[in-house]
Every structure is written in structure tokens, then in C-alpha cells.
């Protein structure tokens, strides 16, 4: 029997990535193809250069020879936080027949919840239960259990219909037959946060190149999702301005910065530029530039938590993913200090594929495999 495989497009704030994956041995992930293309990105949920999106996508898919490999038959598109929103809806039904809950009862609950969020302006990307109750008693899996009333709260992730239609037009022109949209923040949370921690709730902070998202996962769904347009690329821009560097040289400097160690007055970073020259930059000056922007990101994260009504007084696991901060030496710990909470790296649970900056692309592939037909 031929093993199932999925093709997933991940929409980053500076890169588009396509991954072709199938199940590996011992619940691992086997990556058959992976390609990356830089592009102009998006801002506040809108593509910066929408007219350039189709040519970049064409080049991206051509780099994995998608027509010859017949990857065009079905494509999963992972939508980022800035292009989606979360709504919560509850529904309740009386259990008929013998009083045992059936799969049909659960589907009816879901349909009722979806009706409450129905609108011509939005499309549902995902619907998942945050918990089931039989006669007000919480149960993990209600199927087969007896009771008179079945209720549930659902997390429903939606996207603007206009965006979906535009995407469908572009992808149809490229030859894709079947397109399904999934939520990148949900896929990431379900992959990097252990199931036992999701029962009580956990935070996932995804810091990308130009954007950051903060999602709260509980059970199998998201209860809150916010984002803001600041990321690791802004740290690079700050270094460009502070030291009159090109963006490429500023990226090299950012990788050298170690903010976990206090710099001495005459300590320098010896930056070998792309032109082959050596630039001597005071470590303390560079560290201050990076730290200032990290403090800005931490402040914005705290604002997201306030908007979500989430208090960090009690212990809540916090996971950091994305390449915006995780590649900065000491960046995670500095961020944790700013918000006065412990932060762990979020990693996909697959051998050899467990870097926090790569968590998103492997998470969306895993989610697609678990939800494909």
C-alpha cells in the first residue's frame, strides 16, 4: 500500500516554504522535499506586493518539480496568525435513542457551533473542541458514554473570504486541483506543546522575521490568538542603522551577539563583512541595540496577554518558536527575564528536526498528515 504524503505551503513573513512529507518510522516525519523562496512578505495580514506573489509561488513549486512529481493534486496552505482570527462558540444537544453519545452527536454539536460564526465575509479554517461535557461533567471522549445532555465549547479559526478567493485563483492558475487551508498557529501549538500541558493551557510565542504571534492553546484548540508586526528583522535593521552596516552584514553581526554575557568596556566583535573587511564593533554597544529591541518585543507580548485576559501569575508553560529570537545567543533567556517567566524552546518532536526556528514548517506538515483524507 502506498504511504500517504502531503504537500504544504507555509507563509512566512519573509519566506515562502513548501514541504513534501510523509510518515516516518516510529511516529517520525520523513521530509521528501523542502524548498524556500524569499519574498516581500506581509504586513498586518496583507501581502506587501500581491502582484509578485504568483511568480514567486511558481518558482517555489518549480524548484521541487511539482508537475512531474504530481504534487499539484492536493495542497495544504498554512495561514499565519496575522491572516486568521479565533472565535469561541458553545453548543448543546439532547442525547436521543439509548442515551449514549455517538459520532453523529459530536458532528451535530460542531455544526451548531459553526452556524453561530457563519458569515459571508469569513471562511472557517479549523474547528476543534476545547472540551466536552455530559450532564455538566467534563469528559475527554464522550462517544459511547451515557447522559441526557451533551455540550461543548469550540475554537473556530477563520480567515477573510477575500484572501481565500485570491489564493484559490493564484493556485488554480498554477494547476493545483484541491486546496485546503489550515491554521499555522494551531498546528504549531498542537505539535510543540505536550498533550498533558495543553489540558491546563500553554502559551506559544512565535517570533518570525517581521511578525510575532502569541497563541494560547487549551485542549485541542486555541482560545486566544494575537499578533504584531515586529520580529527578528527589526533587530537587524536596528544594527544596520546603529553601525552603518548593510542588511547582510548586520545579519552576520546579529549571529555574533551574545547578550547573556556582560561585555567589558574594551570587548569587541570582529565582524568580517561580506566585502572581506574587518569591522570592530564594541560588544556593549551591539548588545544594547539588540537588548532594546528585545525589550520592545517583550512589551508587545505583555500587551497581547493583557488583550487576551491571560494572567501569568500562575504557572503557565511558555514555548518560543521561530527564527526571530531563537538564533540570538541568550535571546530566549533575556526575553524570559523581561516578562519574568520561564520560557522553553518549542520543538517538533522528530529526531533531527527539532530546532525551534524550524518548528513551524514541520508542525504544519505533521498537522496535514494527521488531517488528510
Amino acid at each position: 500500500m502506498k504511504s500517504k504524503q502531503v504537500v504544504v505551503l507555509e507563509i512566512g513573513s519573509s519566506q515562502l516554504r513548501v514541504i513534501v512529507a510523509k510518515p516516518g518510522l516510529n511516529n517520525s516525519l520523513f521530509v521528501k522535499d523542502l524548498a524556500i523562496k524569499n519574498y516581500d512578505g506581509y504586513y498586518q495580514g496583507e501581502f506587501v506586493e500581491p502582484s509578485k506573489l504568483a511568480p514567486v509561488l511558481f518558482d517555489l513549486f518549480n524548484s521541487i518539480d511539482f508537475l512531474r512529481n504530481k504534487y499539484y493534486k492536493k495542497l495544504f496552505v498554512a495561514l499565519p496568525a496575522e491572516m486568521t482570527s479565533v472565535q469561541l462558540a458553545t453548543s448543546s444537544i439532547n442525547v436521543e435513542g439509548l442515551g449514549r453519545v455517538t459520532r453523529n452527536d459530536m458532528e451535530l454539536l460542531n455544526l451548531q457551533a459553526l452556524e453561530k460564526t457563519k458569515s459571508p465575509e469569513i471562511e472557517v479554517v479549523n474547528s476543534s473542541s476545547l472540551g466536552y461535557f455530559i450532564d455538566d461533567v467534563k469528559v475527554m471522549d464522550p462517544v459511547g458514554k451515557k447522559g441526557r445532555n451533551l455540550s461543548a465549547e469550540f475554537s473556530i479559526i477563520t480567515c477573510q473570504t477575500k484572501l481565500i478567493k485570491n489564493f484559490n485563483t493564484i493556485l488554480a492558475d498554477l494547476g493545483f486541483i484541491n486546496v485546503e487551508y489550515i491554521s499555522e498557529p494551531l498546528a504549531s501549538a498542537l505539535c510543540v506543546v505536550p498533550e498533558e500541558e495543553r489540558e491546563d493551557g500553554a502559551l506559544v510565542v512565535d517570533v518570525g522575521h517581521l511578525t510575532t504571534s502569541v497563541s494560547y492553546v487549551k485542549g485541542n484548540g486555541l482560545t486566544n490568538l494575537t499578533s504584531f508586526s515586529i520580529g527578528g528583522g527589526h533587530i537587524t535593521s536596528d544594527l544596520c542603522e546603529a553601525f552603518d552596516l548593510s542588511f547582510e552584514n548586520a545579519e552576520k553581526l546579529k549571529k555574533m551577539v551574545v547578550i547573556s554575557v556582560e561585555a567589558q568596556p574594551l570587548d569587541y566583535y570582529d565582524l568580517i563583512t561580506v566585502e572581506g573587511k574587518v569591522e570592530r564593533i564594541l560588544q556593549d554597544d551591539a548588545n544594547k541595540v539588540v537588548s532594546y529591541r528585545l525589550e520592545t518585543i517583550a512589551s508587545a507580548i505583555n500587551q497581547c496577554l493583557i488583550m487576551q485576559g491571560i494572567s501569568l501569575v500562575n504557572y503557565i508553560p511558555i514555548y518560543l518558536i521561530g527564527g526571530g529570537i531563537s538564533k540570538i545567543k541568550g535571546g530566549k533567556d533575556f526575553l524570559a527575564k523581561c516578562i519574568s517567566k520561564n520560557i522553553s524552546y518549542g520543538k517538533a518532536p522528530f529526531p533531527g528536526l527539532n530546532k525551534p526556528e524550524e518548528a513551524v514548517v514541520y508542525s504544519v506538515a505533521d498537522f496535514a498528515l494527521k488531517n488528510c483524507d
Side-chain angles (χ1 to χ4, degrees), residues 81-273:
E82 286 199 18
M83 296 182 184
T84 58
S85 60
V86 174
Q87 299 183 52
L88 301 181
T90 57
S91 57
S92 176
I93 62 169
N94 292 322
V95 181
E96 298 180 354
L98 298 175
R100 290 188 184 275
V101 177
T102 65
R103 291 287 177 193
N104 287 338
D105 292 326
M106 294 173 67
E107 290 177 9
L108 181 57
L109 272 184
N110 189 31
L111 288 173
Q112 283 188 3
L114 290 173
E115 280 295 319
K116 294 181 179 181
T117 60
K118 194 173 181 180
S119 167
E121 287 81 29
I122 60 173
E123 295 280 340
V124 173
V125 176
N126 179 268
S127 176
S128 50
S129 168
L130 300 176
Y132 292 96
F133 296 85
I134 296 180
D135 297 334
D136 297 325
V137 177
K138 188 173 182 178
V139 294
M140 294 297 294
D141 184 1
V143 175
K145 293 182 172 60
K146 277 192 171 185
R148 294 183 178 180
N149 181 268
L150 175 67
S151 61
E153 184 176 28
F154 288 89
S155 166
I156 300 172
I157 300 176
T158 61
C159 175
Q160 293 294 315
T161 301
K162 179 182 176 181
L163 187 146
I164 296 291
K165 286 183 176 179
N166 290 340
F167 250 122
N168 284 344
T169 300
I170 293 172
L171 295 171
D173 289 342
L174 291 176
F176 285 96
I177 298 171
N178 188 1
V179 179
E180 184 172 334
Y181 294 87
I182 61 178
S183 164
E184 177 193 292
L186 176 63
S188 299
L190 295 181
C191 189
V192 305
V193 182
E195 185 177 358
E196 60 272 16
E197 290 186 356
R198 297 202 310 268
E199 287 306 309
D200 293 323
L203 279 172
V204 178
V205 179
D206 182 358
V207 184
H209 184 66
L210 297 175
T211 186
T212 296
S213 68
V214 181
S215 55
Y216 189 81
V217 60
K218 190 173 179 64
N220 292 320
L222 301 182
T223 62
N224 300 90
L225 177 63
T226 50
S227 60
F228 53 91
S229 296
I230 308 175
H234 294 85
I235 298 174
T236 309
S237 295
D238 292 343
L239 292 171
C240 287
E241 185 177 343
F243 304 109
D244 194 23
L245 298 171
S246 68
F247 194 86
E248 194 171 357
N249 285 327
E251 275 287 312
K252 292 188 71 175
L253 176 60
K254 185 170 71 172
K255 293 176 182 178
M256 297 175 66
V257 168
V258 183
I259 61 172
S260 55
V261 177
E262 185 176 352
Q264 299 303 310
L266 295 179
D267 288 343
Y268 291 88
Y269 293 117
D270 288 327
L271 171 66
I272 302 175
T273 69

Side-chain angles (χ1 to χ4, degrees), residues 36-95:
I36 303 172
K37 287 289 181 183
N38 294 327
Y39 80 125
D40 294 310
Y42 56 83
Y43 178 74
Q44 295 184 347
E46 298 284 343
F47 288 108
V48 176
E49 292 284 355
S51 62
K52 296 181 180 179
L53 186 59
V56 174
L57 285 172
F58 182 75
D59 289 343
L60 176 67
F61 291 120
N62 263 351
S63 64
I64 60 170
D65 207 352
F66 76 110
L67 290 175
R68 184 178 65 84
N69 290 315
K70 297 184 179 180
Y71 293 155
Y72 59 85
K73 291 186 176 180
K74 181 165 186 178
L75 175 70
F76 287 88
V77 177
L79 297 173
E82 286 199 18
M83 296 182 184
T84 58
S85 60
V86 174
Q87 299 183 52
L88 301 181
T90 57
S91 57
S92 176
I93 62 169
N94 292 322
V95 181

Side-chain angles (χ1 to χ4, degrees), residues 243 262-265 267-269 281-289:
F243 304 109
E262 185 176 352
Q264 299 303 310
D267 288 343
Y268 291 88
Y269 293 117
I281 296 172
L282 280 170
Q283 289 188 9
D284 188 55
D285 289 347
N287 289 2
K288 284 179 178 177
V289 171

Side-chain angles (χ1 to χ4, degrees), residues 277-351:
K277 298 178 181 180
V278 177
E279 293 269 0
R280 301 203 80 193
I281 296 172
L282 280 170
Q283 289 188 9
D284 188 55
D285 289 347
N287 289 2
K288 284 179 178 177
V289 171
V290 174
S291 299
Y292 176 80
R293 181 59 73 171
L294 288 176
E295 288 171 352
T296 303
I297 293 173
S299 177
I301 290 171
N302 279 326
Q303 288 300 312
C304 288
L305 298 178
I306 292 171
M307 290 171 60
Q308 294 179 4
I310 296 172
S311 171
L312 293 183
V313 174
N314 298 322
Y315 172 73
I316 296 176
I318 305 174
Y319 290 91
L320 174 67
I321 62 174
I325 290 179
S326 62
K327 290 184 178 181
I328 298 173
K329 301 177 184 70
K332 172 181 72 69
D333 294 333
F334 187 90
L335 187 68
K337 182 180 178 181
C338 289
I339 65 174
S340 302
K341 288 294 174 182
N342 291 329
I343 297 177
S344 302
Y345 281 127
K347 304 174 183 179
F350 308 121

